[in-house]
Amino acid sequence: GERVELGRTDYHAASSTLIFTPDPDHLDTRLSPGAELRWTIGAGILSASGSALPQDVRVRFWIAQKSRD
C-alpha cells in the first residue's frame, strides 16, 4: 500500500523502546478495527551507542476491536 503518516513515533531512551502513538484524527477512518498496519524502522538509524541498524526492521500489526467493559 501507499505510505501514510498515521501518528507519531517517539523513543524512550531509558527502556530503549520505540513508541507509536496514533493520530486521533485517523482512529475512525484509517485505523478501524481489523486494519493491518506495517511499521518500518529504517536501516541506518543510530542507536544511543552509535551503532547503525544494518537493515530495515518491519513490524506488522492489526488494530483490535475495543472491548466493552
Side-chain angles (χ1 to χ4, degrees):
E2 76 212 53
R3 178 186 168 123
V4 293
E5 299 293 328
L6 297 175
R8 184 180 80 244
T9 302
D10 295 300
Y11 178 69
H12 186 260
S15 64
S16 300
T17 304
L18 285 171
I19 302 165
F20 172 69
T21 305
D23 182 332
D25 292 339
H26 295 297
L27 290 176
D28 291 331
T29 55
R30 294 186 182 254
L31 298 179
S32 58
E36 178 183 353
L37 299 176
R38 295 179 188 193
W39 188 31
T40 302
I41 304 165
I45 192 169
L46 296 177
S47 69
S49 66
S51 300
L53 189 64
Q55 61 190 27
D56 286 353
V57 174
R58 294 184 176 101
V59 180
R60 286 175 45 186
F61 60 98
W62 290 262
I63 303 299
Q65 179 140 6
K66 184 177 180 180
S67 64
R68 297 175 194 204
D69 295 334

